[in-house]
Every structure is written in C-alpha cells, then in structure tokens.
Amino acid sequence: MKHDPIRILLVDDDEDDYLLVSELFGEIHHIRFELEWARTYREALDAFAHRQHEAYLLDNYLGEHTGMDLLREMVAQGCLAPIIMLTGQGDRALDLEAMEAGATDYLVKGRLNADLLERSIRYAIAHKQAEKALVQKTEALERSNQELEMFNYVVSHDLQAPLRTIGGFASLLQQSYQGRLDAEADRYIAFIVEGALRMQTLIKDVLAYSREGRHAIERQRIDVNEVLRQTLESLRATLDEQEAVVTHDPLPTIEADTTQIGRLLQNLIGNGVKFRGQARPRVHVSAKREGGMWCFSVQDNGIGIDRKYQDRIFEVFERLHNESAYEGTGIGLAICKKIVEGHGGHIWVTSDVGQGATFHFTIPKYLSNNNGLAGAEGDGAIS
Ligand code: ADP
C-alpha cells in the first residue's frame, strides 16, 4: 500500500540549508517526504495558518526574527504538529530553551544526516500522536467523571425528598400510635424510623463526597498549626466525651485549601478517636519534608487495621465494622483521598490490628501551575 507523503515545512533563510535538507530527504527511500520551504518568519506563519504540515523544521536564524520567536508564536497559536529546531553546534542553552518552549526535538545542523533526520521526524510525529491521544483520553475521562459526579449529586438530592416523607410520617406514626398497636407493630415502626434516618445520613454523606470534587481547590498559604487548632475546636465535644488527647509537632505553612485541609484533619483525627481501643485515645499529628512534598502523619493508639484491608478502606462505603459497633457510613476516608489527590498528593495507612493506625498523606510543596513556592521559604519552614 502506498502512503501519502509526510509534509514537512522547513523554515530557513539560507538556500544552502534548504538544498542540504532536501538532498537528505532524497536519500530516504522507505518513507516519502514532501519538503516545502519558507524563507521568512512571515512566510512561515502564512504557511502554518493552513495547518497542512505534519512536522516543522525551524532554523534559528531568520533575519529580523529568530526561530525561537517563531516556535513560541506557533505554540501560542495552538500548533499540534511537532516542531524540530535546527541549531548550531554547541548551542546547548538554545536547545534547552527550545525544548522548554515546546519544541519536540532539536537537531545540530553540522551533524545532520538522512538517518538522523528521518528518525527525529518519525519519533516526533509518533510522540505528538501519543500526546494527542492522551489529551483526548484525559478529556473524555474528565467529562465522564463530571457527569458521574453530577448524576451522583442529582440522584442523592432527589432521593432526599421522598425519604423525608417516609421518615417524617414514620416518626409521626411512632409518636401517635406507640402502644396502641401491638408490640410487633411498634418494633416494625421503629425499624422504619431507624432505616430512614440511616438512609438520610448516607445520602448526606454521598452528597458531601460528590460536592468535594465540584469546586476548584482554592490554594492559599495556610499555617497548619492554626488549621489544626480550629479543627480541634470543632471536635471539642467528641474529644472531651472520649477524654482524648491530641498532640502535635510544629507543623509547616503550606499552600493548600484551608477548608479542605481542615476537613481532612477532622476526619482523620475523628477516626483516630472513634476507632479507639480500651486505652484513653491519643492522637499525634506530625509533618516532615520528603523531597518536593510535605508528608503529614496522624497517628492513633486505637484498634488498628488489618493489612489486607488497608487499601480498601479509602473506597466509598467500605467499612470494616457494622453500624452498631462504630457508627459511620464509610465515606470519610474516601473524602480524605479526594482532598489529598486533588492537591496532587497521596494518602495511605500503616497499621497492625491492635497496634493503632498511622495515616500518612503528602501535599506537594510547589504549585503545579508555576505560581511559586508552596512551602514556607527557606529552611525555617516549620513554624
Ligand atoms: P467511617 O468512619 O464512616 O466508617 P471512613 O471512610 O472514615 O468511614 O473509614 C472507613 C473504615 O476504615 C472504618 O469503618 C474503619 O473500619 C476503618 N478505619 C478508619 N480509620 C481508622 C482508624 N483510625 N483506626 C482503625 N480503623 C479505621
């Protein structure tokens, strides 16, 4: 089968270079290339406007403009085809600059041969195609994720109304007819009231879970000591009731979403106290640097978690106990996972049954969108 030739645009103001490159293409027989030539920045942009080339070769010397200028302009105009820079020998800084600006490859002009040229173009095209496929897949995934979240939200929301009716009338029935029907009827009504309440809690938690991913993270500099202090305030009643002791090391200032980090700490500390053993509950929060991450730990002295369940517990509705032993719906850790992963980190647990549990989570120190430093500056980061 004959393939269409691969259309290449060479942008170079030097005719000798054009002749050299077309000669090299002439030596390649197993793939057909069709070389077109633009001499100036303007000519190149005019040709680029038609988006008919599968790859671009740019020389850096183009009279009043440079190939770098052109590269930047083409990238800004959403060029999806690969751009390969032709550079002089030893132009290391330029090579790196070109790659950072979006070039797929660079070729040193003095060392050019047919093999190198053919391979670079072929790889560059394959690389771009893979990149394109990945972007499309990611977009499709994001779309279906959003649809799922939306579905989740709408269904949960719409379930609330009929459930309120069932719960409300069952409670009324309980209040008005308690003791007037027989004992069995009283028991059945009590089951309906309990079931409706449990369902309401489940729906409330599913809504909280789906809401968690719906808004962009608002990253700001936050002192985790302060977030922890507020979290402990909101947990005060539970902590007092369980006579729990929560301690912490000096914690860093990080760039993250305050509300979400508060919720994360509240879930983890709350669990540390809820899944207590015989001893008085003790929870300790600490943080250390690990490469580009802050690694936080929330350690408790509770019942611990069997190793074989340590991944499962982060999934929605996964619980290792029934409602009567420890109340809950199994959504807390799924929310924690969403929060941590939304910040670009990971969450995991280390534990053994009866030995307490330590939940670890990482938060990147640096922002991914180049907004600057996420951790506190310098080495005095822990404050
Ligand atoms: P919930 O607390 O509502 O059950 P979570 O998602 O917070 O839901 O936790 C899921 C399960 O993981 C819990 O039911 C429990 O079995 C286990 N778990 C979570 N935290 C701890 C902990 N600190 N110690 C022991 N088990 C835990």
Side-chain angles (χ1 to χ4, degrees), residues 2-3 92 200 206 216 219 316 324 327:
K2 262 216 164 309
H3 289 286
R92 190 94 195 104
Q200 270 166 352
V206 171
R219 279 199 190 239
V316 178
S324 56
E327 64 174 30

Side-chain angles (χ1 to χ4, degrees), residues 123-134:
Y123 279 18
I125 291 175
H127 178 93
K128 275 286 166 188
Q129 276 166 351
E131 212 175 78
K132 213 158 93 188
L134 195 73

Side-chain angles (χ1 to χ4, degrees), residues 205 267-276 298 300 302-305 309 312-315 317-321 326-336 349 351 356-359:
D205 285 358
N267 278 337
L268 295 179
I269 296 169
N271 276 352
V273 174
K274 177 163 71 169
F275 297 101
R276 61 173 293 176
V298 179
D300 66 56
I303 57 173
I305 303 163
Y309 301 125
R312 240 175 65 183
I313 52 170
F314 293 97
E315 304 302 323
F317 293 145
E318 286 291 349
R319 316 195 64 224
L320 307 178
H321 311 92
Y326 296 95
E327 64 174 30
T329 54
I331 282 196
L333 288 179
I335 289 182
C336 291
V349 65
S351 174
T358 306
F359 283 84

Side-chain angles (χ1 to χ4, degrees), residues 39-238:
R39 282 161 225 258
T40 63
Y41 179 87
R42 218 27 306 137
E43 250 182 65
L45 281 182
D46 287 346
F48 169 64
H50 300 289
R51 303 286 201 275
Q52 284 167 343
H53 299 95
E54 281 160 83
Y56 297 89
L57 292 170
L58 310 191
D59 183 39
N60 198 39
Y61 303 100
L62 295 177
E64 78 228 51
H65 286 97
T66 63
M68 277 301 297
D69 296 337
L70 182 58
L71 166 68
R72 291 213 166 87
E73 183 56 31
M74 288 168 73
V75 170
Q77 290 188 21
C79 179
L80 293 176
I83 302 173
I84 299 168
M85 289 296 286
L86 297 174
T87 59
Q89 208 150 358
D91 268 346
R92 190 94 195 104
L94 185 70
D95 298 342
L96 291 176
E97 199 185 334
M99 299 300 274
E100 254 170 43
T104 314
D105 198 3
Y106 62 85
L107 291 168
V108 179
K109 264 201 279 186
R111 295 205 214 116
L112 216 51
N113 61 44
D115 262 359
L116 219 76
L117 189 62
E118 184 262 332
R119 226 170 39 146
S120 170
I121 292 177
R122 215 161 26 84
Y123 279 18
I125 291 175
H127 178 93
K128 275 286 166 188
Q129 276 166 351
E131 212 175 78
K132 213 158 93 188
L134 195 73
V135 169
Q136 282 168 347
K137 248 193 204 137
T138 312
E139 282 171 359
L141 251 166
E142 267 167 18
R143 259 198 313 277
S144 86
N145 248 344
Q146 274 169 3
E147 278 164 16
L148 261 173
E149 294 276 353
M150 195 62 195
F151 176 76
N152 209 343
Y153 186 81
V154 170
V155 168
S156 315
H157 205 264
D158 289 356
L159 282 177
Q160 278 183 323
L163 190 60
R164 254 198 304 269
T165 313
I166 298 172
F169 280 101
S171 291
L172 265 180
L173 205 59
Q174 194 174 40
Q175 285 157 23
S176 318
Y177 288 88
Q178 180 90 25
R180 290 167 58 188
L181 304 165
D182 61 15
E184 207 166 5
D186 284 350
R187 235 165 27 98
Y188 293 166
I189 294 172
F191 287 152
I192 301 174
V193 172
E194 266 168 44
L197 273 178
R198 169 102 184 119
M199 188 84 160
Q200 270 166 352
T201 315
L202 276 168
I203 289 177
K204 184 175 73 47
D205 285 358
V206 171
L207 273 171
Y209 177 73
S210 63
R211 222 177 265 136
E212 202 59 60
R214 286 158 65 84
H215 301 292
I217 289 176
E218 274 183 41
R219 279 199 190 239
Q220 44 184 261
R221 286 173 69 81
I222 54 170
D223 176 356
V224 184
N225 298 289
E226 179 53 24
V227 181
L228 179 65
R229 196 190 58 73
Q230 289 168 9
T231 305
L232 296 182
E233 268 319 301
S234 39
L235 281 171
R236 181 59 46 215
T238 317

